């Protein structure tokens, strides 16, 4: 069993709103001072899901792939420290400023180049742009079945059994290999690597591939190949101006709030 | 510019779902002289076409195999509806189905989808799609260079369509095979009123400190009116196992737009507000006066919920 985990490095989504800035000229987020980029949280959970399948099967390989800048090495190393066996970084200026479709094309090409992949595990969405497309698009490109928003995934004989989160509960689906799974936070917490694992991962070499290595022409990837075109990125205005409810005791506050809400005909 | 719009509808108890009617409402405003059609798949689709307000034509299949959503079965039918309707714009909900169909349909039609849009508008000839990004800290506006443009739309972004349903129907093929096989389903029974319908939502967060906090919130909801108030939770509270995932509010949970949203011991992270900021009035209850929730609140109560909420319940009972 060879499982690929797609992992993206993103600005820390827990950046406080006050530190979140956009450069209007380039339509890009300005990296917040002193807040390092992180591995997208759902991708860490996807790695956890893949590692558990490998461990349950007793054998196999997990390869982590990231498309991004040189700094994305850190995201790859984190998944290696969790227990992944190999890392691949897809770093090429031609890949920059793409859309979901060009990202999926690059990742799918790398997966095809690896050749012997049985399953691809992605996050349900990258916690920067929150698109939730790339896993589905990889499945389309490879013509593999896909199960999204998983809260559980396990081997059942020759198939993969996936528990999916629905709006009103859960469903269990069975999917033949090779398959794509996208993983959600309901799966649970990813493991935290220990120091020896972090040190071992630091020593591992990460394979680098560029557009040419993947047989991709620069015109079909990155900004040049994008169909979804960003016109403007901005910080929305917040509507309300808060009125703090006065009162020396909780009872006084409660009474004041209730009378306001009654006056507004909300209750 | 005139648009031929296909709304990818979903059925709920044999009728077009609320968000389907919202999409039809949005489509009516965007069509500008073009056509509006709808696709409906599953038991009762043909009958439901008459309730698809604002659509002139419905593409339907009553095949019960469509009742459980499976992407591989829905895609060929939706693709046929796109092609037969000559759609220049395809609208679908940011729902379980839409989240899967949007990207896959875009791939099959060599085009792109803007996910989770809160606004779709005709800006002088070109369609513009606006969607939250960076967990709600930002919004992004896109155009789509390829045809048709596809958007999944967040519930409550448009007003529901009114008026007559589709007068003309066309048959879509019955469901084909799916490699993904649904073998079980578990429905989470939510207590009381559905979160997305309630005029008042009381939501609790990590600051409740323990699952028992939600019992107090249920008492508050009951004091506000059992037929009016529902209880929801932040993801932090859900992740701690204090409340069911189906009742999570936010970016990866439900979107609610009640008249009154009372956020109790919730910090107001952008990803949470993504599901709540459309509420008409927000009340924040938090012991930290600098909590982000107060940036969204009309009224703020600074204090310990353990004291404020019981006092509030008492006051409401008076
Ligand atoms: C990609 C992504 C998607 C996400 N999706 C969602 C989502 O859909 N929904 C969601 O909610 N979150 C989501 N999150 C998580 C979000 O970023 C926050 O972490 C989460 O909303 C925090 O929940 P909270 O406000 O309950 O907890 P905290 O942020 O820990 O806040 C607890 C609050 O309680 C207050 N408090 C503590 N004790 C008391 C007391 N005794 N009385 C009064 N107040 C008290 C504190 O002052 C604090 O403000 C997502 C995150 C990411 C990265
Ligand atoms: N640049 C990238 N490198 C590796 N994986 C990615 C990248 N972008 C997206 N993914 C994967 O696709 C998932 C969904 O991303 P998105 O469609 O952008 O929300 C992520 O959770 C990752 O697993």
């Amino acid at each position: 069993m060879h499982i690929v985990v797609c992992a993206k490095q993103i600005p820390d989504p827990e950046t406080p709103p006050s530190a979140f800035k956009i450069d209007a000229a380039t339509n890009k987020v300005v990296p917040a001072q002193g807040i390092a980029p992180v591995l997208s949280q759902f991708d860490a959970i996807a790695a956890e899901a893949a590692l558990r399948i490998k461990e349950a099967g007793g054998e196999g390989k997990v390869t982590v792939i990231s498309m991004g800048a040189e700094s994305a090495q850190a995201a790859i190393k984190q998944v290696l420290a969790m227990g992944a066996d190999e890392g691949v970084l897809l770093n090429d200026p031609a890949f920059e400023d793409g859309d979901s479709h060009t990202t999926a094309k690059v990742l799918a090409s790398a997966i095809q180049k690896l050749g012997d992949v049985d399953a691809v595990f992605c996050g349900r969405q990258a916690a920067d742009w929150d698109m939730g497309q790339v896993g589905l698009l990889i499945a389309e490109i490879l013509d593999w079945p896909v199960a999204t928003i998983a809260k559980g995934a396990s081997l059942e004989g020759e198939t993969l059994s996936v528990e999916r989160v629905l709006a009103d509960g859960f469903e269990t689906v069975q999917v033949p290999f090779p398959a794509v799974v996208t993983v959600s936070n309901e799966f649970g917490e990813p493991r935290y690597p220990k120091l020896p694992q972090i040190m071992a991962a630091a020593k591992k070499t990460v394979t680098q591939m560029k557009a040419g290595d993947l047989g991709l022409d620069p015109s079909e990837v990155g900004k040049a190949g994008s169909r979804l075109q960003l016109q403007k990125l901005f910080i929305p205005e917040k509507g309300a101006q808060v009125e703090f409810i006065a009162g020396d005791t909780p009872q006084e506050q409660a009474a004041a709030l209730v009378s306001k809400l009654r006056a507004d005909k909300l209750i | 510019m005139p648009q031929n719009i296909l709304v990818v509808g979903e059925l709920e108890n044999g009728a077009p779902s609320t968000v389907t009617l919202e999409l039809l409402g949005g489509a009516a405003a965007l069509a500008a002289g073009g056509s509006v059609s709808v696709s409906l798949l599953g038991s009762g689709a043909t009958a439901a076409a008459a309730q698809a307000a604002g659509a002139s034509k419905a593409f339907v299949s009553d095949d019960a195999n469509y009742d459980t959503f499976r992407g591989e079965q829905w895609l060929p039918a939706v693709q046929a509806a796109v092609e037969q309707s000559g759609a220049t714009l395809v609208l679908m909900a940011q729902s379980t189905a839409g989240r899967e169909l949007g990207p896959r349909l875009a791939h099959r039609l060599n085009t792109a989808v803007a996910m989770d849009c809160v606004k779709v508008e005709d800006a002088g000839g070109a369609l513009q799609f606006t969607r939250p990004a960076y967990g709600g800290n930002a919004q992004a506006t896109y155009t789509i260079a390829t045809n048709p443009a596809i958007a999944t739309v967040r519930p409550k972004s448009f007003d529901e369509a009114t008026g007559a349903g589709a007068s003309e129907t066309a048959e879509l093929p019955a469901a084909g095979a799916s490699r993904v096989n649904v073998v079980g389903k578990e429905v989470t029974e939510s207590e009381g009123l559905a979160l997305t319908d309630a005029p008042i939502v009381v939501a609790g967060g990590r600051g409740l400190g323990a699952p028992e906090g939600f019992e107090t919130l249920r008492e508050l909801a009951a004091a506000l009116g059992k037929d009016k108030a529902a209880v929801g939770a932040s993801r932090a509270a859900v992740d701690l196992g204090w409340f069911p995932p189906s009742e999570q509010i936010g970016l990866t949970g439900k979107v609610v737009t009640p008249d009154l949203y009372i956020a109790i011991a919730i910090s107001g992270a952008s990803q949470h507000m993504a599901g709540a900021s459309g509420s008409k009035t927000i009340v924040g209850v938090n012991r930290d006066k600098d909590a982000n929730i107060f940036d969204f609140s009309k009224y703020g109560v600074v204090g310990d919920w353990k004291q404020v909420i019981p006092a509030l319940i008492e006051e409401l009972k008076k």
Side-chain angles (χ1 to χ4, degrees), chain A residues 128 143 167 174 231 234 264, chain B residues 134 139 141 143 179 254 299:
Chain A
D128 49 0
D143 193 21
Q174 251 151 19
Q231 303 296 338
F234 59 99
D264 291 354
Chain B
Y134 289 92
Q139 287 200 345
T141 300
T143 52
R179 291 171 291 184
K254 298 250 153 77
Y299 301 119

Side-chain angles (χ1 to χ4, degrees), chain A residues 6-8 43 65-67 103 107 122-123 125-126 130-135:
Chain A
C6 294
K8 186 179 187 187
D43 301 355
I65 302 186
S66 187
M67 186 191 89
T103 302
L107 291 168
C122 289
Q125 63 200 56
D130 298 315
M131 286 282 184
Q133 295 204 42
V134 167

Side-chain angles (χ1 to χ4, degrees), chain B residues 208-317:
Chain B
L208 290 179
E212 291 73 34
F214 281 96
E215 285 165 28
T216 313
L217 265 47
R218 286 217 189 277
E219 280 175 46
L220 174 60
L224 288 161
K226 270 206 168 24
D227 54 340
K228 280 180 126 182
V231 181
S234 74
R235 184 172 122 187
V238 169
D239 282 351
L240 285 160
W242 298 351
F243 219 60
S246 58
E247 313 303 300
Q248 177 185 313
I249 292 162
L251 183 67
T252 53
K254 298 250 153 77
V255 176
V256 298
T257 52
D259 298 328
L260 176 60
Y261 188 79
I262 308 181
I264 299 162
I266 289 179
S267 61
S270 58
Q271 294 91 351
H272 180 78
M273 298 319 294
S277 60
S279 308
K280 291 209 181 74
T281 298
I282 297 178
V283 174
V285 178
N286 199 299
R287 67 175 177 199
D288 172 9
K289 71 168 183 12
D290 295 322
N292 200 45
I293 189 68
F294 294 131
D295 288 346
F296 294 88
S297 301
K298 178 164 186 203
Y299 301 119
V301 181
V302 178
D304 186 342
W305 73 270
K306 284 185 185 143
Q307 294 175 342
V308 174
I309 302 305
L312 195 55
I313 295 168
E314 280 310 305
E315 188 64 32
L316 287 165
K317 282 185 180 160

Side-chain angles (χ1 to χ4, degrees), chain A residues 26-198:
Chain A
T26 57
N27 276 335
K28 283 188 179 162
V29 171
V30 182
Q33 278 274 309
I35 304 179
V38 297
L39 168 62
S40 186
Q41 189 192 21
F42 298 118
D43 301 355
I45 305 172
E48 178 66 40
L51 288 166
R52 284 200 211 163
I53 288 179
K54 176 189 151 181
E55 287 155 5
E59 53 164 8
K61 184 164 88 174
V62 172
T63 302
V64 50
I65 302 186
S66 187
M67 186 191 89
E70 193 59 34
S71 66
Q73 291 262 9
I76 294 176
K77 294 274 161 107
Q78 187 174 334
V79 180
L80 288 172
M82 286 173 72
D85 303 281
E86 287 173 17
V88 179
L89 176 62
L90 310 169
N91 173 15
D92 190 323
F95 297 155
E96 281 173 24
D97 300 328
D99 63 2
S100 308
H101 135 88
T102 58
T103 302
K105 187 180 278 184
V106 172
L107 291 168
S109 301
I111 291 159
Q112 278 168 323
K113 192 167 167 89
L114 292 176
D116 58 348
V117 177
D118 299 294
V120 174
F121 277 53
C122 289
R124 63 173 286 169
Q125 63 200 56
D128 49 0
W129 293 97
D130 298 315
M131 286 282 184
Q133 295 204 42
V134 167
L136 288 153
L137 292 172
I138 291 173
E140 281 289 314
I141 294 169
L142 300 175
D143 193 21
W144 291 2
V146 55
T148 55
I149 318 194
K151 71 161 204 136
S154 55
L155 276 179
E156 222 162 78
E158 298 290 290
T159 59
L160 194 59
S161 174
V162 181
E163 264 188 292
R164 304 183 58 223
V165 182
L166 306 178
D168 60 351
F170 311 104
E171 74 176 12
T172 307
V173 298
Q174 251 151 19
V175 197
F177 288 104
V180 177
V181 179
T182 81
V183 183
S184 189
N185 54 289
E186 287 84 355
F187 189 93
E189 291 285 315
R191 66 193 65 184
Y192 291 99
K194 300 199 176 68
L195 192 60
Q197 295 160 318
I198 294 170

